[in-house]
Amino acid sequence: MVRFITEPVWSWPLVAVASVALIAVVLVTYPPRIRHLPAGRRRLLLGMRLTSALLLIWALLRPAVQYLEIDSQAAVLVVLLDKSRSMTTPDGPGGITRRDALLKTLADSDEQLQELGENVEVRYIDFDSTLYPTEEPGSEADGQFTALGKILDEVRREDAGKRLVGIVLISDGAQRATGEDDVDPRAAARRIAEERGVQIHTVLVGTSELATAGLDLSVEDVLVAPDTFEKKTTPVQAQVRLIGASGRKVKVRLLLEDRTGKSAGESGELVAIPYSADARPMAEVETRENSTVIPVDLSFVAQQAGEYKLAIEVVPLDGELKVNNNRVETLITVRKGGLKVAYFDIVRPEPGKIRRLNTTSQIQLDWEVIAAGRQQQPRPIDESLFAPGAYDVYIIGDVPASVFRLGGVDLLRRLAERIDEGAGLAMIGGRRNFGSGGYGSSRLREYLPVLMGSTEPLAGDVIDPSRHHTRKLQMIPTRDGLRHYLMQIAPRDNERMWRSLPPLAGATRLEEKSENVEVLAESDDGVPLLFAADTGRARVVAFAADDTFRWHLHGFEDVHQRFWQQLILWLAHKEQDTDSPVWVRVDPKNFAPGARVPIIFGARDAEKLPIEDAEFGVEVLTPAGERKPLTVVRGGAEALAEFSGTEEPGDYWVTVTASKDGTALSLPAKARFIVDARDLELDNPAADPDLMEELASVTGAVPLPPEQFGPFLDELLEQGISTEITRQTEVNLWDNWGLLCAFVLLLACEWFVRKRRGLV
């Protein structure tokens, strides 16, 4: 079929007026100008001028020839069949699985489908997170995740040149995908309706009530503040889903990470939180229903500052097969207002310089002056200094054990109780401490990381060469010390900085008491100087020297203060709670497997202003021990990196380094996040009828129950599906070189004739 069509540049009346006006102007104004010419020439010039005007009118009409062709191209009906693992849920009629219910729906409508296939192509496609075309759908349902939005987009893009007459989606309707696969199904359905003009007919298999899914307990919707304070009751709220547990008592409890002996990059064991007057870390619930969700309120009291992993667990019951959804883990930060340090020492240069730590916002150091010398009687030490929670760290200088036993009260025993509760302890060098001070027969012998005999006499004011080094000793880190937080006094060339410090005048002879003790520093000729260990919930340090004040006197004030500040922070488990120039933040702390993790970080100067030209290095330590570097994206005051390798559940540690002009700005900043050990597909395999209804309504269709699928096909057959496609081709008759050349040629010829006759 051929049709002549016009699309005027203006409306028809306006084009008609313009055309008449143009012809009138030519007929009225042009003949008088050529009346003196012979009749033949007049007719020729007037004809060329009128023809030029007609060509202009032709262009105003914008004519075209339209060719219409009818093609009988086969139409395509796509039937999408869910094969994800949630389709193995046995909640169909008679206890059959959803996949079997899907196959039964197809089998019951086999005659209609075959009849429909005589006129249109019925294409069956299995899917989970991608498409799997199939000739004969099977009973296998092993797809890892359900990504409805992604597969609808793939259908929209597939065979865009073919006529898609409809989509049938048979599924439980639950979107369970993460990362790039997590495409909004509603938006994908809307794109199909707009671009392909077809409807999505949804057929729901499965139920949102899982009373027949067997025994399964799970924790959902945990609510806990990410930041809390030491010694404060912290509430935890959670939803516990109980399926198949009617009449059985279920325990729900809190577990807290034990970070004893663990450094950054190492995860601690989760242990049960004991009951206390201010905490309710366990609850027992019971239901008479076969499927229900019960709210549970728990609480705990954090005893020490730091970052910890907290877990909410519903204790598995006998016969429960799937237990990976019984626990939800998250990270909490425990803070407190500041560190309190009690320092017992005589009047000498060392405590005077250490007291400069009081200028920091984090540390309050109280120096308890102990009288020295045989002629002086030490005043009694206030017992309240050893009350529970009074101090976070205790430092003992050059004082004997006897000063803690005045008045018939053994204050060292009370100090031991505080250490058991997590308070840090440091003993530094001197003449009358360690074994020479009688501590070998005290309770502190159990905690200090060095050997001390219980029968050693006090040395008095006399230096015993067998117990002291009286020569100069250059303090340098050991191999373990170079990696330890305590020994990091310079962001770059740390060991060189240690070697540049003034040597110590001497030291107490000490020896580690077990292989669990770390020797962090020694002299250049191998004399051990600094010992550190974890003992229960506390950390302890033995430092053989007592004259680090020499660093201060020789111009290394910052190094002196940094060393002692780090020692106290480490003893108090707060080495990760500093105002470091380099910072990193991961929020939230929990992610699903396969999710993309945004990591935000930056660097700041002494005035807390961002260093925008800093250069960063970012890497992530996975639960498998692999270190994966990330690409940094700058964004002004902050920088960003994204980590996508989250397939494995567990703890992931982020390390950020920063430098400027090739010089490191500080120690690396660290952060941790958790990839939950959850199975998105099967943790809660409930069907989602609401989503299936939305997908149908967005495209103008109506959701179908399985029993209505056959009548729907009958109606489709009765209405018929047109397989004809009208193809339209247009040939433009005005916007082409021919028209332009004819117009220019007419004007040129007219001008030439007029030129020959002297009219130009």
Side-chain angles (χ1 to χ4, degrees), residues 370-445:
I370 307 298
R374 296 180 179 179
Q375 305 301 322
Q376 294 178 321
Q377 292 295 324
R379 61 183 177 86
I381 297 176
D382 188 352
E383 297 181 27
S384 65
L385 299 176
F386 301 93
Y391 286 92
D392 305 286
V393 175
Y394 292 86
I395 300 177
I396 298 177
D398 193 11
V399 295
S402 58
V403 303
F404 296 98
R405 299 194 186 105
L406 297 179
V409 178
D410 187 358
L411 296 179
L412 293 180
R413 185 172 295 275
R414 295 191 182 179
L415 176 56
E417 294 172 358
R418 303 292 80 79
I419 297 172
D420 288 335
E421 295 169 359
L425 171 66
M427 183 174 287
I428 65 176
R431 300 175 181 179
R432 298 184 298 168
N433 51 11
F434 293 107
S436 299
Y439 290 94
S441 57
S442 73
R443 280 288 307 276
L444 296 192
R445 179 182 181 182

Side-chain angles (χ1 to χ4, degrees), residues 553-573:
L553 297 178
H554 287 77
F556 295 95
E557 299 93 339
D558 294 342
V559 172
H560 181 272
Q561 181 159 328
R562 183 168 187 170
F563 170 75
W564 282 102
Q565 180 174 331
Q566 291 178 177
L567 185 144
I568 291 171
L569 290 173
W570 184 81
L571 287 172
H573 295 84

Side-chain angles (χ1 to χ4, degrees), residues 160 374 596 669 723:
R374 296 180 179 179
R596 292 182 174 273
T723 60

Side-chain angles (χ1 to χ4, degrees), residues 117-135:
E118 295 176 0
N119 295 320
V120 301
E121 177 187 354
V122 180
R123 182 180 301 174
Y124 297 98
I125 303 178
D126 283 334
F127 73 88
D128 47 24
S129 59
T130 189
L131 300 176
Y132 306 94
T134 179
E135 295 292 336

